[in-house]
Amino acid sequence: MYLFSQAAASLTVGVGSFEDPMEIQGLMHFLEHMVFMGSEKYPKENAFDYYIKKHGGHDNAHTEMEHTTFYFEVEENHFYGGLDRFAQFFINPLMKKEAMTRERNAVHSEFQMALPEDASRVQQLFASLASEGHPMGKFTWGNETTLNVEIPDEELHKKLHDLRMRFYSAQNMTLAIQSRHSLDMLQEFVCKIFSEVPNSGIPRPTYTQYDFPFPTEKLHRLYRVVPMKDYHSVEINWALPSLLNYYHTKPLHYISHLIGHEGRGSILSYLKKKVWAVGLYSGNDESGFEHNSTYALMSVSVELTDEGFKNVDKVLQVVFQYLAMIREAGPVERIFNEIEKTEKLNFDYAEEQTAVENVENLSENMQLYPPEDYLAGECLLCEYNAETDLPSQKDCLFIRLQSALDFLP
């Protein structure tokens, strides 16, 4: 519990790992690290981090496929100082060549931490199925191998600065701040501090020139993965066209609500009676990897018992039979209305987020939705559309079977 009220700020740049050069994958993640290494106004490399932690806060950043977000929180009475130091990373960051080795090691350290995680490993398996040359197929983490390329550090350093000057530009940025200061004072803070952020005038990149990322020849396959943890699961994944523009309808939310239902007559209820499963997840996690402007992922993941693993073909049959039943019945407006009301109640009575969680969500939502939907666009449904199609077996990208047991040949 904080002794002082926290103020927070988040800035999202509308460019991410899709802009990695094919020959230096992970470069945009590397750039995210480098901009934090001091500025002309505050030249000490860790001055910002020291200031924020000294005054009861923390800071972080992350790089997604199509955006990069930087954020911090700090005690309210030190917000202006934190905001000024924060803004300098987007005005005149130093990004010294001497800092490259340290930050390259930091990127590799993050990769090493993610390496044992089953979700990270499977995500990269999924990415490897993308068409050659499509940005979905890039290795976005970056590590010491991809960032120690066969070019001099001077040239790599220049590439980092070129990327920053081209994409870390005012017209690509959205900023959200939260504090108990008056609105007039907060506006004064922003106008005074961020007015010097440069504008390159270069249009934000789009990816409509790419075909659908996952080729037909890689569909309809079963991939067997030995997980790091001791468990069994089967996951069915569909790669669908991007649904970002259907946020008022949220078709994946509708279908995942039905598949993920746990009551009488549900998939999970039946599988539990057969002692084949202990849990089921359905949907899309709304991350940049699972939903972006090039495609959307729909997943059904079943955590299997030992008996369920032995009968995995029957488990899959149950899932597809349930989907066939839903498709035959077609969209039901009554169910949509129930989901709409439930989400409205969840939105109206949601537990208050921390300041930093709130601004992080807002700055990212500002990249995706028009102003009237910044607050609720990711949460609420408001347009019933019976024409939106549902995934079928023919759309299936791949089925992934995970077990701690060694697989037979």
Side-chain angles (χ1 to χ4, degrees):
M1 189 173 186
Y2 296 115
L3 296 177
F4 302 95
S5 293
Q6 298 293 103
S10 177
L11 186 147
T12 297
V13 183
V15 180
S17 294
F18 275 178
E19 288 303 313
D20 280 348
M22 280 295 184
E23 68 279 10
I24 318 175
Q25 296 185 34
L27 192 61
M28 293 301 289
H29 183 199
F30 189 24
L31 175 60
E32 169 218 305
H33 279 249
M34 287 295 293
V35 296
F36 265 144
M37 293 294 100
S39 63
E40 288 190 12
K41 187 173 181 179
Y42 302 101
K44 288 187 178 180
E45 280 189 7
N46 297 309
F48 172 70
D49 191 56
Y50 176 79
Y51 180 90
I52 295 300
K53 289 179 178 176
K54 179 182 177 181
H55 299 297
H58 77 277
D59 59 271
N60 211 335
H62 59 85
T63 304
E64 290 275 7
M65 296 300 185
E66 295 179 287
H67 70 257
T68 307
T69 299
F70 303 82
Y71 53 91
F72 76 92
E73 67 176 355
V74 71
E75 291 169 4
E76 208 167 58
N77 53 336
H78 296 284
F79 186 45
Y80 184 89
L83 201 61
D84 188 39
R85 287 164 174 79
F86 182 68
Q88 297 306 312
F89 297 138
F90 311 103
I91 297 172
N92 282 310
L94 293 178
M95 294 174 55
K96 291 181 178 179
K97 187 159 66 71
E98 303 84 69
M100 288 173 55
T101 299
R102 289 191 298 276
E103 289 313 298
R104 192 156 34 200
N105 290 338
V107 170
H108 183 70
S109 178
E110 290 181 10
F111 166 71
Q112 291 288 92
M113 290 175 63
L115 195 57
E117 294 293 327
D118 290 322
S120 300
R121 294 164 66 238
V122 169
Q123 185 182 89
Q124 198 56 45
L125 167 63
F126 193 98
S128 71
L129 304 177
S131 302
E132 185 176 353
H134 195 286
M136 272 303 301
K138 292 178 179 178
F139 174 65
T140 60
W141 285 94
N143 61 20
E144 63 182 9
T145 301
T146 65
L147 296 176
N148 277 310
V149 290
E150 297 293 326
I151 61 173
D153 271 2
E154 290 79 6
E155 188 175 338
L156 183 61
H157 184 241
K158 182 178 183 301
K159 282 182 178 291
L160 284 167
H161 275 279
D162 289 345
L163 282 174
R164 183 192 70 82
M165 292 297 292
R166 182 177 181 184
F167 295 127
Y168 279 38
S169 179
Q171 81 277 12
N172 294 330
M173 296 177 178
T174 49
L175 174 72
I177 64 173
Q178 179 175 326
S179 173
R180 293 186 303 176
H181 292 86
S182 69
L183 288 177
D184 287 343
M185 183 169 288
L186 290 176
Q187 181 175 337
E188 182 180 337
F189 284 178
V190 171
C191 291
K192 182 177 181 180
I193 293 172
F194 287 89
S195 61
E196 295 182 20
V197 174
N199 188 328
S200 67
I202 299 173
R204 176 177 168 177
T206 60
Y207 306 98
T208 55
Q209 70 272 28
Y210 290 101
D211 294 330
F212 190 69
F214 300 101
T216 305
E217 61 268 21
K218 292 185 179 179
L219 304 181
H220 300 263
R221 291 191 179 186
L222 173 65
Y223 291 83
R224 297 173 182 266
V225 178
V226 179
M228 302 296 288
K229 297 178 181 177
D230 186 11
Y231 73 106
H232 314 300
S233 73
V234 62
E235 186 173 299
I236 311 163
N237 296 274
W238 291 264
L240 306 170
S242 176
L243 297 169
L244 291 177
N245 292 331
Y246 294 89
Y247 67 92
H248 282 140
T249 307
K250 294 183 173 58
L252 292 186
H253 195 84
Y254 177 93
I255 188 66
S256 64
H257 171 82
L258 294 176
I259 296 173
H261 178 57
E262 298 182 3
R264 184 178 177 183
S266 67
I267 297 175
L268 184 60
S269 174
Y270 178 81
L271 295 178
K272 281 186 173 181
K273 285 180 183 178
K274 302 291 286 185
V275 199
W276 288 348
V278 294
L280 183 148
Y281 162 81
S282 174
N284 178 295
D285 70 6
E286 298 298 331
S287 67
F289 183 86
E290 291 199 4
H291 201 181
N292 54 60
S293 65
T294 70
Y295 96 114
L297 181 71
M298 171 69 190
S299 297
V300 178
S301 179
V302 183
E303 188 175 351
L304 301 170
T305 62
D306 291 344
E307 194 64 26
F309 178 65
K310 295 175 185 176
N311 291 278
V312 67
D313 55 335
K314 295 178 181 177
V315 173
L316 292 170
Q317 189 176 32
V318 169
V319 174
F320 281 112
Q321 284 176 341
Y322 195 87
L323 276 171
M325 180 184 68
I326 294 174
R327 289 181 65 86
E328 184 177 350
V332 180
E333 189 169 6
R334 173 186 59 81
I335 296 174
F336 179 89
N337 291 338
E338 287 177 1
I339 300 171
E340 180 184 15
K341 289 176 183 177
T342 300
E343 294 304 326
K344 181 67 163 61
L345 287 171
N346 290 340
F347 179 79
D348 289 343
Y349 298 100
E351 183 178 342
E352 185 176 355
Q353 292 182 311
T354 65
V356 71
E357 289 171 335
N358 194 39
V359 295
E360 182 188 358
N361 286 341
L362 279 174
S363 70
E364 292 178 356
N365 287 350
M366 290 164 74
Q367 295 279 337
L368 298 173
Y369 310 118
E372 63 271 19
D373 292 323
Y374 286 165
L375 294 175
E378 66 175 340
C379 305
L380 301 184
L381 298 78
C382 55
E383 288 181 5
Y384 175 71
N385 181 0
E387 300 304 316
T388 305
D389 201 11
L390 301 178
S392 66
Q393 190 164 355
K394 67 180 176 64
D395 301 313
C396 185
L397 172 63
F398 72 94
I399 299 172
R400 174 168 56 85
L401 182 61
Q402 290 195 137
S403 173
L405 302 175
D406 290 331
F407 290 114
L408 297 175

